[in-house]
């Protein structure tokens, strides 16, 4: 299907609301897509400007092109910029041959009609964990192959908990976590830090608590959603969490935890490298659900996709490139570099064998949900923005959790 200008403009607006969660920086480059014959040039876009051509990732991309018999010209953009440029390139008829995109953007690109189904390309996705590929599945069809996933859990400072007389294993639900925060504060330390900023990062961090209460994104103001927001407000009001969570990104939240003064920090797989450099012993537990068990957490990560081309003869080579990038042999070093959990059980097992500290993250990813899953698709941005706005209103004290989420629900319905 060739997207109309109107569809593309609507999709552009949706992509513009989705913020990068893991990538940083920016880039630029050409969307040249010359001859698809052997020895020709194929184009590849990714959201990893932090990795240059000499990096392990840069060399893998070049190598996969060589293996497919072509020169693979790589261009790196930051996540949001890449989505916007992809839509514009499709409108102009010069989309890249292969593109790695943030998983919430997949549904937007599909609605614009610019991605191929994996089944039409003959790509095998049977080994991929269902909830991971679910973030790129629309109407039971997948539109890309996930390169890996990241998600959220609670890092904890062993020394701070020990001094407060708290055993991390005792934290099973919201009540036991709140009781632990109370003890930590009484012992003269700080409780928990997280990101409640008014961007997608704020929604990303709120979702485990929202889903952990049984919340439904189509009913933001249900009693369950209100319970989750009330929990965060309780923590801020009691001084268990700092007021600056309203401005914290996931990076600044991590920096707070890294001071060694906090018992807990909600953050992601991507902080493992920094955790090893923090200078104190840490542990990781899954975010608890309201009444016990592990709360569902949102999946982050990217999908390797193949945009629609006028010359369909190019797809055979594109398939080879995608297969190379997502093979088990290449996923292991790639996901280690990106600090991602692999999308297949076989590679996950190898990751844990190499680094046992990944085990809690593998468990967390197994319980994770795609933000656009469950049929939400491009509706997700119109829900996420009112949700993070409600979090801001409640934590700042300008509205009660119920009133804030009532407003959010009304706004989401209009969207």
């Amino acid at each position: 299907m060739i997207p109309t200008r109107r569809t593309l403009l609507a999709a552009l607006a949706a992509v513009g609301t989705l913020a990068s969660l893991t990538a940083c920086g920016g880039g630029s480059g050409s969307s040249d897509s010359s001859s698809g014959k052997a020895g020709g040039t194929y184009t590849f876009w990714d959201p990893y400007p932090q990795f240059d051509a000499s990096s392990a990732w840069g060399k893998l991309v070049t190598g996969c092109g060589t293996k497919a018999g072509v020169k693979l010209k790589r261009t790196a953009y930051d996540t949001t910029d890449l989505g916007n440029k992809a839509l514009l390139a499709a409108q102009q008829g010069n989309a890249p041959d292969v593109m790695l995109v943030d998983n919430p953007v997949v549904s937007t690109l599909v609605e614009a009609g610019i991605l191929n189904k994996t089944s039409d390309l003959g790509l095998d996705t049977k080994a991929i964990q269902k909830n991971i590929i679910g973030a790129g599945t629309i109407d039971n069809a997948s539109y890309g192959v996930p390169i890996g996933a990241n998600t959220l859990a609670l890092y904890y400072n062993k020394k701070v908990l020990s001094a407060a007389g708290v055993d991390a294993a005792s934290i099973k639900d919201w009540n036991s976590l709140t009781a632990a925060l109370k003890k930590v504060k009484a012992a003269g330390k700080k409780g928990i830090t997280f990101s409640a900023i008014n961007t997608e990062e704020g929604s990303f961090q709120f979702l485990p608590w929202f889903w952990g209460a049984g919340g439904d994104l189509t009913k933001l103001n249900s009693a369950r959603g209100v319970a989750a927001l009330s929990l965060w407000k309780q923590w801020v009001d009691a001084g268990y969490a700092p007021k600056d969570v309203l401005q914290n990104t996931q990076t600044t939240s991590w920096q707070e935890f890294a001071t060694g003064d906090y018992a807990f920090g909600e953050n992601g797989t991507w902080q493992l490298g920094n955790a090893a450099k923090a200078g104190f012993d840490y542990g990781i537990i899954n975010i608890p659900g309201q009444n016990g068990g592990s709360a569902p957490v949102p999946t982050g990560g990217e999908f390797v996709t193949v945009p629609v081309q006028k010359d369909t003869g190019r797809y055979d080579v594109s398939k080879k490139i995608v297969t190379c990038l997502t093979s088990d042999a290449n996923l292991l070093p790639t996901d280690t570099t990106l600090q991602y959990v692999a999308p297949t059980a076989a590679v996950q097992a190898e990751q844990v064998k190499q680094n046992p500290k990944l085990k809690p993250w593998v468990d967390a990813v197994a319980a994770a949900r795609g933000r656009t899953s469950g049929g939400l698709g491009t509706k997700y941005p119109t829900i996420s923005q009112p949700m993070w706005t409600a979090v801001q209103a409640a934590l700042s004290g300008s509205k009660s959790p119920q009133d804030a989420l009532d407003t959010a629900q009304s706004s989401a319905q209009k969207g």
Side-chain angles (χ1 to χ4, degrees):
M1 178 177 78
I2 302 300
T4 65
R5 177 178 176 82
R6 182 176 179 181
T7 303
L8 280 163
L9 290 173
L12 271 168
V15 169
T17 69
L18 294 168
S20 168
L21 292 174
T22 55
C24 59
S28 61
S30 168
S31 57
D32 170 47
S33 54
S34 42
S35 173
K37 297 179 182 179
T41 298
Y42 271 57
T43 50
F44 174 73
W45 291 0
D46 70 41
Y48 306 146
Q50 67 270 39
F51 299 124
D52 63 19
S54 67
S55 67
W57 171 251
K59 290 176 180 176
L60 173 61
V61 172
T62 299
C64 283
T66 301
K67 190 174 180 180
V70 297
K71 177 182 178 182
L72 194 53
K73 183 177 181 180
R74 172 185 173 235
T75 303
Y77 300 98
D78 78 18
T79 301
T80 304
D81 198 29
L82 188 152
N84 290 334
K85 281 185 166 56
L87 289 162
L88 289 171
Q91 184 181 20
Q92 296 161 0
N94 61 353
D97 292 287
V98 181
M99 182 167 58
L100 192 62
V101 297
D102 196 21
N103 70 59
V105 178
V106 173
S107 61
T108 300
L109 300 180
V110 170
E111 186 172 86
I114 66 173
L115 293 184
N116 282 289
K117 296 178 182 178
T118 54
S119 57
D120 290 346
L121 296 166
L123 288 164
D124 184 4
T125 60
K126 290 193 295 292
I128 297 171
Q129 210 162 281
K130 287 185 178 179
N131 65 323
I132 296 178
I133 200 166
T137 300
I138 294 91
D139 295 332
N140 297 316
S142 62
Y143 286 83
V145 182
I147 204 161
N150 54 31
T151 194
L152 297 166
L154 292 181
Y155 288 84
Y156 66 88
N157 185 315
K158 292 184 177 181
K159 184 178 179 180
V160 171
L161 287 191
S162 178
V166 175
D167 178 2
S170 70
I171 297 168
K172 304 290 188 183
D173 52 23
W174 289 4
N175 285 340
S176 53
L177 176 55
T178 301
L181 296 176
K182 184 177 181 179
K183 287 183 179 180
V184 167
K185 186 183 179 187
K189 289 292 186 177
K190 299 177 181 178
I192 186 169
T193 181
F194 49 86
S195 170
I197 196 170
N198 58 338
T199 69
E200 177 60 23
E201 291 191 49
S203 290
F204 191 71
Q205 292 237 321
F206 182 60
L207 279 173
W209 311 96
F210 182 85
W211 283 335
D216 179 342
L217 285 173
T218 65
K219 300 173 184 175
L220 293 175
N221 59 340
S222 71
R224 293 172 177 179
V226 172
L229 188 47
S230 296
L231 178 73
W232 270 18
K233 180 171 173 54
Q234 174 191 353
W235 288 349
V236 171
D237 288 351
Y240 301 157
K243 293 187 184 301
D244 64 12
V245 294
L246 286 163
Q247 291 83 43
N248 271 349
T249 64
Q250 292 179 116
T251 298
T252 55
S253 173
W254 175 262
Q255 289 167 350
E256 285 184 333
F257 178 72
T259 63
D261 293 331
Y262 283 85
F264 298 96
E266 179 183 353
N267 229 296
T269 329
W270 55 90
Q271 298 292 4
L272 276 172
N274 288 327
K277 303 172 186 175
F280 54 80
D281 287 338
Y282 74 92
I284 297 165
I285 58 172
N286 290 345
I287 295 172
Q290 181 178 17
N291 298 313
S294 295
V297 284
T299 50
E302 288 83 33
F303 276 63
V304 191
T305 64
V306 177
V308 171
Q309 302 291 337
K310 291 179 181 177
D311 179 4
T312 58
R314 300 180 70 82
Y315 295 152
D316 285 343
V317 171
S318 296
K319 175 186 174 182
K320 291 178 182 177
I321 293 166
V322 175
T323 301
C324 176
L325 290 171
T326 58
S327 68
D328 281 3
N330 287 329
L331 279 176
L332 183 59
T334 295
D335 287 334
T336 299
T337 297
L338 298 174
Q339 295 179 329
Y340 279 176
V341 171
T344 66
V347 181
Q348 287 175 3
E350 287 300 312
Q351 286 183 297
V352 173
K353 185 185 295 185
Q354 289 185 8
N355 182 6
K357 288 184 177 179
L358 280 175
K359 181 64 168 67
W361 294 107
V362 170
D363 293 341
V365 165
R369 297 179 186 174
R371 284 163 280 170
T372 58
S373 298
L376 284 182
T378 54
K379 295 177 185 174
Y380 174 73
T382 67
I383 295 169
S384 177
Q385 185 166 357
M387 182 166 63
W388 81 55
T389 302
V391 169
Q392 288 265 310
L395 299 193
S396 67
S398 65
K399 289 184 178 180
S400 69
Q402 182 70 65
D403 288 346
L405 287 171
D406 283 344
T407 301
Q409 180 63 20
S410 176
S411 178
Q413 287 176 330
K414 291 175 184 176

